[in-house]
Amino acid sequence: MTDEAADLRVDASAVPAVPAVPAEPAGPAGPVPLGVVRTPTGHAGVDAHLARLADADHLAADGHVEVYEDVHRGLREALTALDAPPVPGPYENRS
């Protein structure tokens, strides 16, 4: 062996160990937040309903339906309220 070949030897203690393949998880993974950004709308009622969507991040998939239905109901009520005629104040009906 030449001196050049001797210089190319690698010290086995300097090589990092190859990590073992992780075992399969024992059970299904828990809920993981989706990380969806909710941009404020400027309407407090709508923003409160949209913030409620974050509750679904901590629930299993079968619990999402209840949260989504509640948010949908609240947003529908907010939209319906926009179509309602304004209620006159106590002094607006003067004749």
Side-chain angles (χ1 to χ4, degrees), residues 54-81:
D55 293 345
D57 285 346
H58 308 290
L59 300 172
D62 61 347
H64 291 189
V65 173
E66 181 181 343
V67 173
Y68 294 157
E69 286 177 349
D70 183 46
V71 170
H72 182 258
R73 185 174 28 261
L75 292 173
R76 181 171 283 221
E77 288 171 1
L79 286 172
T80 302

Side-chain angles (χ1 to χ4, degrees), residues 8-92:
L8 296 177
R9 283 187 237 153
V10 176
D11 181 11
S13 64
V15 177
V18 177
V21 177
E24 291 294 318
V32 177
L34 295 175
V36 176
V37 177
R38 293 167 195 87
T39 305
T41 64
H43 187 279
V46 172
D47 290 341
H49 291 298
L50 293 177
R52 169 108 165 82
L53 290 172
D55 293 345
D57 285 346
H58 308 290
L59 300 172
D62 61 347
H64 291 189
V65 173
E66 181 181 343
V67 173
Y68 294 157
E69 286 177 349
D70 183 46
V71 170
H72 182 258
R73 185 174 28 261
L75 292 173
R76 181 171 283 221
E77 288 171 1
L79 286 172
T80 302
L82 293 174
D83 291 335
V87 177
Y91 299 108
E92 293 180 14

